[in-house]
Amino acid sequence: MNTSLNFNERVAERLEGMSPAEQRVVRYFQDNREEVLIASAAALAEKAETSDATVVRATKALGFAGLEELRRTLAAELRNSLSPAERLSRTLGVVGASLPAAFETTLETQIQSLEDLRRTITPELFQAAIEGMIGAKRVLVFGLGPSSAVADYLVFQLTRFGLEAACLSNTGLLFADDLRRLRAGDFVVMLAYSRVYTELSALLDEIRRLGLGSLLLTDTLAATLRHRVGTVLPVARGRADMLSLHTATLGLIETLLVGIASQRPAETLANLRSLNEAREKLAGRAMNLPVSPEGGAKPRTP
């Protein structure tokens, strides 16, 4: 089966070959896409009046490896079909004019996204990401739009920790200048969501040409780009049909920072102490960053 087909095209191609129970599940998927994004297999089975096993069989009959891949596909299609204004309108439709509802709904969405990190990022994936970053001559971080601010934050902290790092955040023709900065020994971290921008595609081509290590943080592009990047860390940005939230991305980045510090504590501490000394010269008094003499760097710094 052609995996480049969208969800409706997959259904049209495969539905007739399914059992009546599987067809009922697939039709439920079609009519309740937002529910599929958040419900468990058991909950979906109950809604479709069938068994968990039938839900799994129907998912695989459509050509998906499992529910997670189905959810990623539906989320990507939903995000691409909704503008930021439409997603905000849906969010406001849930919370209304209630400030308590805005507070609780947003917090619950972010908590769920953080919990998803425990489930989707294995120790092996996390280790691969850390080793790629600390083993590189230089770390380059790609992010456009709101993600550029997150990319800047990661670069700022990596530099404080003593790693050479730089940001790739130009757009349009100016991105050609960013591409020319890549060199042998670089490791590229990419923050990319929803669709493959022209800049991202060009960056991936240059990564391949130079044979560079790479890490992708994404919500829905894992299946599309897995063969073009070294390591993928899946990270949700809240519900696909609602306002995009970046708490989980920032949380994941800070786990990477702590992981890096844990693997090179002496170097990290030495660089933070050097920063202390530079601050003292500027302020004329001690400006100590919180570092531990026992060997544990604490990367939360003012």
Side-chain angles (χ1 to χ4, degrees):
M1 187 184 71
N2 184 357
T3 56
S4 66
L5 300 176
N6 65 32
F7 178 74
N8 281 335
E9 290 168 340
R10 288 181 186 235
V11 172
E13 184 181 82
R14 303 298 291 268
L15 189 65
E16 288 186 3
M18 298 182 191
S19 70
E22 290 167 351
Q23 290 180 0
R24 188 166 65 251
V25 170
V26 170
R27 291 194 178 98
Y28 182 84
F29 287 170
Q30 285 184 298
D31 295 338
N32 302 272
R33 300 185 188 211
E34 294 164 15
E35 182 70 19
V36 176
L37 294 178
I38 59 176
S40 65
L44 292 172
E46 183 178 354
K47 297 283 182 64
E49 299 180 347
T50 187
S51 65
D52 299 18
T54 303
V55 169
V56 173
R57 284 198 303 272
T59 301
K60 292 185 175 180
L62 289 172
F64 297 105
L67 271 175
E68 285 304 312
E69 185 180 358
L70 169 61
R71 289 188 179 107
R72 286 194 296 269
T73 297
L74 291 178
E77 291 180 9
L78 186 55
R79 281 200 185 278
N80 290 338
S81 68
L82 295 176
S83 69
E86 289 171 323
R87 291 200 295 271
L88 178 58
S89 293
R90 289 184 175 222
T91 303
L92 296 178
V94 172
V95 305
S98 169
L99 290 177
F103 183 81
E104 290 297 333
T105 299
T106 306
L107 279 186
E108 283 301 319
T109 302
Q110 293 178 110
I111 289 168
Q112 183 59 56
S113 295
L114 287 169
E115 286 293 337
D116 286 345
L117 294 179
R118 295 180 185 272
R119 179 171 48 84
T120 58
I121 297 179
T122 64
E124 292 77 17
L125 284 175
F126 188 69
Q127 180 177 345
I130 297 298
E131 290 178 349
M133 295 173 77
I134 63 178
K137 292 181 180 178
R138 182 177 61 160
V139 178
L140 297 176
V141 186
F142 169 84
L144 303 182
S147 294
S148 66
V150 182
D152 280 335
Y153 172 72
L154 176 55
V155 168
F156 180 83
Q157 294 288 38
L158 290 173
T159 303
R160 274 192 167 183
F161 282 16
L163 275 70
E164 186 177 352
C167 203
L168 305 174
S169 57
N170 282 316
T171 58
L173 293 178
L174 285 176
F175 193 67
D177 293 284
D178 282 352
L179 291 176
R180 293 182 66 247
R181 297 167 64 189
L182 273 67
R183 58 178 183 259
D186 285 344
F187 185 85
V188 185
V189 178
M190 292 162 284
L191 312 177
Y193 307 94
S194 300
R195 63 191 179 91
V196 181
Y197 292 98
T198 301
E199 294 87 350
L200 176 60
S201 182
L203 176 60
L204 291 167
D205 287 344
E206 193 68 3
I207 288 171
R208 182 183 62 224
R209 187 182 74 82
L210 295 173
L212 307 181
S214 60
L215 168 65
L216 173 67
L217 276 60
T218 189
D219 54 352
T220 61
L221 295 178
T224 302
L225 297 179
R226 190 177 303 278
H227 66 290
R228 300 181 69 183
V229 297
T231 302
V232 179
L233 298 184
V235 54
R237 292 189 298 160
R239 287 181 50 177
D241 59 324
M242 294 175 68
L243 183 68
S244 295
L245 303 172
H246 298 271
T247 299
T249 299
L250 185 57
L252 177 55
I253 281 174
E254 294 194 324
T255 67
L256 292 171
L257 289 168
V258 174
I260 288 169
S262 74
Q263 298 304 295
R264 51 192 309 277
E267 298 93 329
T268 304
L269 287 165
N271 278 278
L272 292 180
R273 290 186 176 116
S274 176
L275 179 58
N276 280 338
E277 293 169 2
R279 285 183 163 192
E280 289 175 15
K281 291 177 182 178
L282 290 170
R285 59 186 177 86
M287 297 287 290
N288 289 328
L289 291 171
V291 296
S292 168
E294 288 75 30
K298 301 176 182 178
R300 287 189 175 275
T301 59

